[in-house]
Amino acid sequence: MKFGSLLAASVLASCLSFQAFAQDTTYDLVEPLAEYKIYVSEKVQKLEEDTKAFTDAVKAGDVEKAKSLFASTRLSYEAIEPIAELFSDLDVAIDSRADDWEKAEQDPGFTGFHRIEYGLWEKNSTEELTPVADKLMADVSELNKRIAGLTFPPEKVVGGAAVLMEEVAATKISGEEDRYSHTDLWDFKGNFDGSRKIFDLVRPLIEAKEAEFTKKVDENFNTVSQTLDKYKEGDGYQSYDKLTEADRKVLSIAVNTLAEDLSTLRGKLGLN
């Protein structure tokens, strides 16, 4: 791909000039980091495109279309959360929840995806959502611009594989993320994909010395994937409120097991 080739060359050059890369292991990370930046750049461009379609539906007052686009639009954001969260102002604006704010849903600071989710599902309306949609679109576009100029910290990238799974285990299994739409399984899938991408990129640096470890992690990824697959419905996933407590417990155990193994990646690569 022309875009990919040009971006890879640019990222590789910027990574090679990064003076902190003094150890052999860190030099070995230059290529995986370049590949990961391509992945994130493509994801954030997809996010911007999908957010445009989603916010256009909101502003047009098309509640059903906006609902149908909500979960799939968020997939790209969930996959790159460790990088998006480096820009805390944008992360708060794009992805905060009502309970992050003093007045909850009524707080003027509550914006982004979940404010729109609240309007669409709790009120079944797009009333007063046009300025929220415009701000969300502007914030996503700004995120794209900032990521384009970012030198990715290796410890944040490698650590992100565990962070994505830990976030599912700590705050998403409960269903608090998409509390109005119950589209949580889509978010899990985005987190899973982002985590797996990071692991696959650094795998060659670990596998030669720790084949059993990489085999174990692969098996744990497969367990989580197969568990998620049980809840597929059409092109997406079942409503999360349909899962029983037993279902959630099985998913939680699989995610926690994977997260524990992934939490050792930074140490194995000398990044602690």
Side-chain angles (χ1 to χ4, degrees), residues 54-55 58-59 93 108 110-117 126-139:
F54 171 62
T55 55
V58 171
K59 292 193 293 181
F110 179 40
T111 60
F113 279 116
H114 295 302
R115 174 61 183 88
I116 296 175
E117 178 197 8
T126 60
E127 186 178 355
E128 299 181 351
L129 290 182
T130 290
V132 183
D134 285 338
K135 177 170 171 51
L136 174 61
M137 188 68 246
D139 289 335

Side-chain angles (χ1 to χ4, degrees), residues 151-168:
T151 297
F152 285 22
E155 68 280 2
K156 290 292 185 181
V157 173
V158 175
V163 166
L164 284 163
M165 291 293 94
E166 288 165 356
E167 184 172 338
V168 173

Side-chain angles (χ1 to χ4, degrees), residues 86-238:
L86 293 175
F87 307 105
S88 58
D89 59 328
L90 293 179
D91 183 51
V92 168
I94 291 169
D95 201 39
S96 65
R97 304 165 191 170
D99 46 16
D100 293 327
W101 301 93
E102 182 180 357
K103 297 179 180 178
E105 287 87 355
Q106 309 312 314
D107 198 298
F110 179 40
T111 60
F113 279 116
H114 295 302
R115 174 61 183 88
I116 296 175
E117 178 197 8
Y118 169 70
L120 293 175
W121 272 271
E122 291 297 300
K123 297 187 175 183
N124 200 40
S125 170
T126 60
E127 186 178 355
E128 299 181 351
L129 290 182
T130 290
V132 183
D134 285 338
K135 177 170 171 51
L136 174 61
M137 188 68 246
D139 289 335
V140 168
S141 295
E142 177 63 20
L143 179 65
N144 192 359
K145 291 176 185 176
R146 291 195 199 178
I147 285 176
L150 178 68
T151 297
F152 285 22
E155 68 280 2
K156 290 292 185 181
V157 173
V158 175
V163 166
L164 284 163
M165 291 293 94
E166 288 165 356
E167 184 172 338
V168 173
T171 66
K172 294 184 178 179
I173 289 290
S174 65
E176 65 186 77
E177 176 81 1
D178 300 315
R179 63 190 67 175
Y180 318 111
S181 62
H182 305 299
T183 55
D184 305 80
L185 289 170
W186 290 78
D187 283 7
F188 296 178
K189 174 63 173 170
N191 290 157
F192 174 87
D193 288 347
S195 180
R196 178 119 210 189
K197 181 64 176 181
I198 294 168
F199 178 71
D200 285 345
L201 287 173
V202 301
R203 172 204 297 275
L205 305 182
I206 300 172
E207 193 165 27
K209 295 180 180 179
E210 299 197 43
E212 285 302 312
F213 172 77
T214 55
K215 180 182 177 182
K216 181 184 176 186
V217 173
D218 276 334
E219 290 171 352
N220 290 336
F221 268 118
N222 289 337
T223 297
V224 174
S225 181
Q226 289 164 8
T227 304
L228 283 174
D229 284 349
K230 288 168 55 180
Y231 307 113
K232 279 189 172 180
E233 189 171 88
D235 293 331
Y237 292 89
Q238 292 179 19

